[in-house]
């Protein structure tokens, strides 16, 4: 059931970007306005994720999950009904609440599954949103092409309804957990920070990257960020315990989620746009949205394969080597895209290689966080990591649009082919920075070497764990 809920989050994501041109045409709105059908989901998801993560650390985990699934169901129905563009945006905002479900499913897996089983489930849950992208895009594209875009949202309503019924039946209660006070002011400030920054990234192309409006919004968001950091460090029960970032393992995991998210959506946006660009001077392939979605299937296969292989690889190489190597694999896919894209088959290969790298990172990261924070802080810590992924997704998408726009001649509709190459170089730089960070930031090992747990079973995805260390005490084990 937990994996199904994670897949639902991927379906919600797949109802965004591929449908924007169709929504613009059907509802007779400009593309910049139609973009809100994606932007509003990310905005709500970014704010809801840490709040739901905090609620999920206490006895309200089950009601929070059921409530989020109910919001998704109602939102899917609102978006599916022919009430017009405004109601579609409202429905997509409701669906955005579902983006906060991943940290709650991870916390549920940790608390209710045996240690051996929870390791693989946590890794799988972490990459469901990645794997589901390659499955959701062609599926929703096909439904839209045959039945119209409203049918895609009815499909979302159906899968969310099944998830809600399943959760009511099998989801365990958490009444035994100690209640946690929700940091309402912290949530408001955090929402203002992320909302302003994501709005600036999403609307930068239409507002102008040097416009007073965009600069003012960025300045206001950064000011709120400074206030939020000071407040979170001083309050007794913060929305996000920023003190956890003193643990270099947690900080490394958070930065890797951000970098991998940026690289993933930068490449994904470039590949799908190039595939649908008409053949000719722009060197596109002129395929339909369905075929463009099929190009992402190797990405899903690669990320799923990586999640299966990570425990074995990390046993032999340790997570300290696996993380930078994974960044190197993503960099290789960027390099391939920048140098070789003369045939459509090469786009399939590029996405398959990228899936391996991104899948490795997203399979490793949750295990590092879970084993490095107290048990009562897992939902909040994973939620913050998930938010950084969403920020990375939005940043990568915005970067791809900005680079291609800057390489589009005045009066032209399509960008010059060199724009794709420049964007690929930028992606290589991001991945290289991530690899360096993964090597340098964790610092040196403990003097005590990595050991096996329970008489021969490997620790979670290569995480160094000492025998006899209780989960709630693992936050004491920092590196550096």
């Amino acid at each position: 059931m937990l994996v199904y809920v994670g897949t639902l989050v991927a379906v919600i994501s797949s109802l965004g970007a591929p449908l924007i041109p169709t929504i613009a045409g059907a509802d007779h709105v400009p593309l910049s306005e139609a973009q809100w059908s994606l932007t509003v989901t990310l905005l709500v998801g970014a704010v809801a994720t840490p709040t739901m993560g905090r609620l999920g650390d206490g006895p309200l985990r089950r009601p929070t999950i059921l409530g989020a699934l109910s919001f998704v169901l109602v939102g899917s129905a609102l978006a599916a009904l022919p009430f017009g563009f405004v109601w579609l945006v409202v429905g997509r905002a409701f669906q955005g609440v579902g983006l906060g479900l991943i940290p709650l499913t991870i916390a549920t897996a940790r608390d209710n599954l045996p240690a051996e089983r929870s390791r693989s489930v946590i890794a799988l849950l972490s990459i469901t949103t990645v794997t589901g992208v390659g499955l959701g895009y062609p599926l929703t594209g096909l439904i839209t092409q045959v039945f119209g875009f409203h049918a895609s949202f009815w499909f979302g309503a159906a899968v969310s309804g099944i998830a809600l019924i399943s959760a009511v039946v099998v989801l365990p209660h958490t009444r035994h957990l100690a209640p946690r006070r929700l940091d309402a002011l912290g949530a408001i400030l955090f929402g203002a920070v992320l909302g302003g920054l994501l709005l600036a990234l999403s609307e930068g192309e239409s507002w102008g990257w040097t416009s007073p409006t965009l600069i003012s919004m960025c300045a206001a968001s950064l000011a709120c960020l400074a206030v939020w950091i000071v407040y979170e460090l001083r309050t007794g029960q913060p929305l996000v315990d920023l003190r956890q970032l003193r643990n270099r393992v947690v900080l490394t995991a958070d930065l890797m989620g951000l970098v991998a998210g940026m690289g993933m959506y930068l490449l994904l946006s470039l590949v799908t746009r190039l595939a649908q660009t008409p053949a000719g001077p722009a060197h596109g392939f002129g395929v339909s949205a369905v075929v463009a979605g099929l190009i992402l299937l190797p990405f899903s296969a690669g990320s799923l394969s990586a999640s299966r292989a990570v425990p074995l690889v990390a046993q032999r190489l340790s997570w300290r080597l696996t993380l930078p190597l994974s960044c190197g694999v993503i960099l290789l896919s960027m390099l391939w895209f920048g140098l070789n894209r003369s045939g459509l088959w090469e786009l399939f290969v590029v996405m398959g290689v990228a899936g391996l790298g991104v899948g490795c990172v997203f399979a490793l990261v949750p295990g590092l966080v879970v084993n490095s924070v107290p048990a009562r802080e897992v939902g909040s810590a994973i939620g913050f990591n998930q938010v950084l992924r969403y920020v990375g997704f939005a940043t990568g998408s915005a970067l791809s649009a900005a680079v291609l726009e800057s390489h589009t001649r005045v009066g032209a509709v399509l960008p010059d082919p060199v724009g794709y190459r420049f964007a690929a170089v930028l992606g290589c730089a991001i991945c290289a920075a991530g690899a360096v960070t993964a090597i340098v930031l964790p610092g040196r090992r403990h003097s005590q070497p990595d050991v096996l747990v329970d008489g021969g079973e490997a620790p979670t995805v290569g995480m160094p764990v000492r025998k006899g260390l209780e989960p709630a005490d693992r936050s004491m084990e920092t590196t550096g």
Side-chain angles (χ1 to χ4, degrees), residues 31-416:
L31 279 173
S32 59
E33 290 187 24
Q35 185 74 26
W36 274 100
S37 63
L38 173 62
T39 302
V40 73
T41 306
L42 290 174
L43 286 173
V44 174
V47 176
T49 297
T51 304
M52 292 170 58
R54 174 57 67 187
L55 292 173
D57 284 332
L60 297 178
R61 181 183 301 163
R62 175 184 165 92
T64 300
I65 294 176
L66 297 180
L69 290 173
S70 300
F71 266 97
V72 174
L73 177 58
V74 172
S76 299
L78 285 176
L81 292 171
F83 291 160
F85 179 70
V86 173
W87 282 105
L88 185 147
V89 172
V90 172
R92 288 291 288 162
F94 278 31
Q95 286 183 320
V97 177
L99 297 182
L101 285 168
I102 292 297
L104 299 183
T105 60
I106 290 176
T108 301
R110 169 177 171 146
D111 291 347
N112 295 277
L113 295 176
E116 299 80 6
R117 176 64 174 157
S118 67
R119 296 180 189 123
S120 59
V121 172
I122 287 174
L124 183 59
L125 287 170
S126 180
I127 59 95
T128 49
T129 52
V130 180
T131 304
V133 166
L135 300 176
Y137 273 29
L139 180 58
T140 55
L142 180 61
I143 293 174
T144 299
Q145 183 170 308
V146 176
F147 301 105
F149 78 91
H150 288 292
S152 296
F153 291 106
W154 282 124
F155 170 70
V159 295
S160 58
I162 295 173
L164 178 59
I165 295 172
S166 302
V168 170
V169 174
V170 305
L171 199 64
H173 290 277
T174 54
R175 299 191 187 99
H176 62 284
L177 298 178
R180 306 297 302 276
R181 182 181 67 85
L182 177 63
D183 178 14
L185 179 57
I188 294 173
L189 289 173
F190 195 61
V193 172
L194 293 179
L197 291 178
L198 286 179
L199 185 61
L201 287 170
S202 301
E203 299 297 326
E205 185 177 358
S206 58
W207 290 352
W209 293 103
T210 59
S211 67
T213 302
L214 185 113
I215 294 174
S216 299
M217 178 163 290
C218 289
S221 299
L222 292 176
C224 287
L225 176 62
V227 173
W228 178 75
I229 291 175
V230 172
Y231 175 78
E232 292 296 289
L233 290 174
R234 292 183 176 181
T235 188
Q237 294 185 4
L239 180 71
V240 177
D241 189 359
L242 297 179
R243 298 175 184 86
Q244 294 172 359
L245 298 181
R246 296 172 182 171
N247 185 322
R248 293 190 178 185
V249 175
V250 176
L251 181 57
T252 300
D254 287 343
L255 291 178
M256 288 303 99
L258 177 65
V259 169
M262 290 176 62
M264 170 185 165
Y265 259 71
L266 176 64
L267 185 60
L268 184 151
S269 300
L270 293 172
V271 167
T272 54
R273 180 164 175 175
L274 179 65
Q276 297 180 76
T277 297
H283 296 235
F285 298 97
V287 302
S288 65
V290 177
V291 176
L294 291 175
I295 296 175
L296 303 184
L297 283 177
F299 182 83
S300 293
S303 61
L304 183 60
S305 300
S307 71
R308 299 291 188 180
V310 156
L312 297 176
V313 174
Q315 284 183 41
R316 291 163 174 78
L317 298 181
S318 87
W319 65 271
R320 297 168 182 274
L321 291 177
T322 308
L323 269 181
L325 287 176
S326 300
C327 290
V329 173
I330 305 174
L331 189 153
L332 178 63
S333 67
M334 294 281 188
L335 187 62
W336 191 326
F337 177 78
L339 298 178
N340 302 290
R341 53 180 187 278
S342 57
L344 188 63
W345 67 271
E346 290 180 303
L347 299 185
F348 283 86
V349 175
V350 164
M351 294 311 300
V353 174
L356 290 173
V358 173
C360 280
V361 174
F362 285 164
L364 278 168
V365 160
L368 298 178
V369 175
V370 165
N371 280 339
S372 301
V373 302
R376 64 183 182 276
E377 298 289 343
V378 168
S380 176
I382 291 292
F384 183 61
N385 184 272
Q386 195 74 19
V387 166
L388 291 180
R389 290 194 198 186
Y390 295 148
V391 173
F393 292 166
T395 303
S397 178
L399 283 176
S400 69
V403 170
L404 295 182
E405 180 69 19
S406 66
H407 287 83
T408 301
R409 299 177 182 177
V410 178
V413 177
L414 301 174
D416 294 333

